[in-house]
Amino acid sequence: MRYIPLLAAAAAFATPAAADHHLADEIADDAGEGVSQERLKSDVYSLVGFGTRHTLSEQDNPERGIGAARKWGEGEFRKASEACGGCLEIVLPERMVQGRRIPEPTRLVNVVAIQRGTERPNEVVIVQGHIDSRATDAFDFTSDAPGANDDASGTAVAIEAARVLSQRQYPTTIVYALLSGEEQGLYGGQLMADYAEEQGWTVKAVLNNDIVGGSCGSDGYCDADHIRVFSEGPRADLTDTIRAAQRRNGGENDSPSRNLSRWLDGLADNNANGLDVRQIWRTDRMGRGGDQIPFLEKGYPAIRFSVAVEDYEHQHQDLRVEDGITYGDTPDEMDFAYLAKAAQLNVRALDKLAMAPMPPAPVAQAAVRTFTEIEWEPVEGAFSYTIWQRRPDEPYWRDEPVIENAVATSARLEGVRGDDWIFGVSSSTAGGHSSPIASAVPAGSYAPIPQEEGDTE
C-alpha cells in the first residue's frame, strides 16, 4: 500500500523527538515502583477495622461504620497532600439518596482528592474504588461486613496511587476517588460522574478498581498472573443517529473504553514482572455491575479492573462457618502481592495517561473510492500523530503504524480501500508521551455524544 499525506511531505512528519506509541513505558522512570505492598495491606486492615462500611450504617460513630471509614480515607488523602506541599484538593461531594436498597433518605458522601494539572487542568483521569461494604443481606447495616477484597482493595489502590503520583507533577489532572453506595445501586459512581459533568471536566479515562486483591477462587482455581479489564462494546450513550451510522460504517468494537482496554493490555505487556491484562469485552461481569457504568452512560471512557478469579464464598457473605466452609470477605483470604501488582498497573497507567494528550477524534472517508482520507482536529498538547490500522476481523491494532509521527492533521492513503480496514489515530507530546488510539469510526471520539432531540439512548 502507498501512503501519501495530504500536506507536503516536509511538513507532514515530526522530528525523531516523538517516540513510538508502543515504547511509552520506556520514556520515563517507572512510577509503579513507588507502590508499597505493606501500605496497601495496612490500608485494607484499617478499613476492615471499621466493622461494617454499609452505606446505611452509622455516619457519626468515630470507630465504626461508613462515616468513620470515610473520615479515615479523607485523612489519608490529607496526609498525602501534606507530603506534597498541599498539592491535593480534598472535596466531599454529597447528596441525599433513596432507592430500592435505600428505603429511607440517606446522606451519601464521596471522598475525592484532586491533583490539578499544570497545563491542562480541565483534562482529567480518574482512579476510584468503592469504600462501602455489605453482608449477605443487602439491607443488613448492623452485622460485621469486612469488605476486604470488595472493595477495601480498590479503595487502597486509589489511596496508594495518590501517595505515589502526588510526588510528581503532570500537565493534566488526576482525580482519586473513594465512592459510597456501590452495593446499594452504584450511587457513589453516579454522584462522581455527575460531579465530573458539573465541573465541566474533559474525562480522558476512568479506572474503576473493584475486587482487585485476590488470586484464588472458591473452587480452588488460582491465577496470580492476570487481571481482568472489562470494557463496553457499543457505547452506552449512542443515539439512534449514531447507532445507525455504526451499522453502516462499523464501530461496534471500537468504543473509547474498548481502545482504552487495548492500550492497557499493551502497557501491561511492557512489564514482564507485573500482571498481564486479560481483556473481557463486556461492560462488566455477567448479570452484575460496577461504578464505571454511570460514567459510560454519560459518554466518558471507563473500564473496570477486577481479579482474574473471583471467590464467591468470600464476597457478599455473612461471617460464618457452614458445613465446614468458612465464609466472609476477610483479609486473610487476600493475596497482597497480587494487590500490589494491581496497584502498580494502575499507577503506571495513570502516569502515562496524565502525561499524554487527549486522543484525537479522527474521521475516515472511503466510500466508493480507491483511497482513504483520514482527518482530525488538532489536539491541545499534541506535537505529532500516528495512524494505526487493523482488519475489521482482527481484535488488536497492528504493531507497525501506517504513518508515524505526522504533524499534519490529515492523510490520504492511496490504493487503500477503506471497506477492508479499521483505522485509528493516537496523539503524542514532543517528549513522546502517547495517548491511547481513537478509532476513525462513528462515536470513536473520547467525548460524550451530543444528545439530539428525538434521539434515544
Side-chain angles (χ1 to χ4, degrees), residues 281-313:
W281 286 352
R282 289 190 172 104
T283 301
D284 208 303
R285 301 148 304 161
M286 296 180 69
R288 304 170 73 187
D291 279 323
Q292 76 280 6
I293 292 176
F295 290 90
L296 294 171
E297 290 173 344
K298 287 185 179 293
Y300 298 137
I303 54 88
R304 174 187 177 135
F305 287 100
S306 203
V307 294
V309 185
E310 285 191 67
D311 184 349
Y312 304 117
E313 292 170 355

Side-chain angles (χ1 to χ4, degrees), residues 180-411:
S180 300
E182 193 271 351
E183 301 290 7
Q184 310 312 115
L186 312 184
Y187 286 96
Q190 187 65 61
L191 175 58
M192 191 65 215
D194 290 344
Y195 184 81
E197 184 178 45
E198 291 163 4
Q199 302 307 304
W201 286 342
T202 299
V203 179
K204 186 186 300 178
V206 179
L207 310 184
N208 185 44
N209 287 266
D210 196 347
I211 312 177
V212 290
S215 57
C216 291
S218 50
D219 58 356
Y221 178 76
C222 298
D223 184 348
D225 298 322
H226 296 86
I227 190 166
R228 293 182 295 173
V229 173
F230 291 83
S231 64
E232 70 176 0
R235 294 175 56 151
D237 66 334
L238 287 179
T239 63
D240 288 342
T241 300
I242 299 298
R243 189 178 291 108
Q246 282 195 348
R247 290 179 64 191
R248 292 191 302 271
N249 300 315
E252 304 90 337
N253 195 27
D254 285 86
S255 69
S257 301
R258 186 62 47 83
N259 277 324
L260 179 61
S261 174
R262 292 182 174 108
W263 178 85
L264 284 162
D265 194 358
L267 180 67
D269 288 345
N270 286 331
N271 182 14
N273 297 319
L275 296 176
D276 190 15
V277 165
R278 179 182 297 151
Q279 294 192 65
I280 307 297
W281 286 352
R282 289 190 172 104
T283 301
D284 208 303
R285 301 148 304 161
M286 296 180 69
R288 304 170 73 187
D291 279 323
Q292 76 280 6
I293 292 176
F295 290 90
L296 294 171
E297 290 173 344
K298 287 185 179 293
Y300 298 137
I303 54 88
R304 174 187 177 135
F305 287 100
S306 203
V307 294
V309 185
E310 285 191 67
D311 184 349
Y312 304 117
E313 292 170 355
H314 301 95
Q315 179 186 124
H316 295 182
Q317 295 285 350
D318 290 340
L319 295 171
R320 69 191 190 280
V321 177
E322 191 174 286
D323 297 328
I325 300 174
T326 300
Y327 292 88
D329 188 358
T330 53
D332 58 297
E333 298 292 340
M334 292 178 60
D335 182 341
F336 286 101
Y338 181 95
L339 176 59
K341 290 183 178 181
Q344 288 167 351
L345 179 57
N346 271 266
V347 167
R348 291 187 181 103
L350 292 162
D351 176 70
K352 305 307 175 192
L353 289 166
M355 290 296 295
M358 284 292 295
V363 176
Q365 302 291 343
V368 199
R369 59 181 71 174
T370 59
F371 58 91
T372 297
E373 292 178 321
I374 304 174
E375 299 178 325
W376 59 92
E377 294 296 320
V379 174
E380 185 178 3
F383 175 76
S384 64
Y385 307 91
T386 298
I387 299 175
W388 306 87
Q389 68 174 1
R390 70 178 201 276
R391 291 199 326 256
D393 63 341
E394 289 179 328
Y396 307 118
W397 298 105
R398 295 191 169 186
D399 290 336
E400 294 299 321
V402 177
I403 297 177
E404 187 174 13
N405 300 334
V407 295
T409 57
S410 58

Side-chain angles (χ1 to χ4, degrees), residues 133-161:
S133 65
R134 59 164 285 188
T136 302
D137 183 351
F139 293 91
D140 180 0
F141 59 87
T142 60
S143 297
D144 281 349
N149 201 6
D150 186 14
D151 184 34
S153 65
T155 299
V157 166
I159 293 171
E160 183 67 2

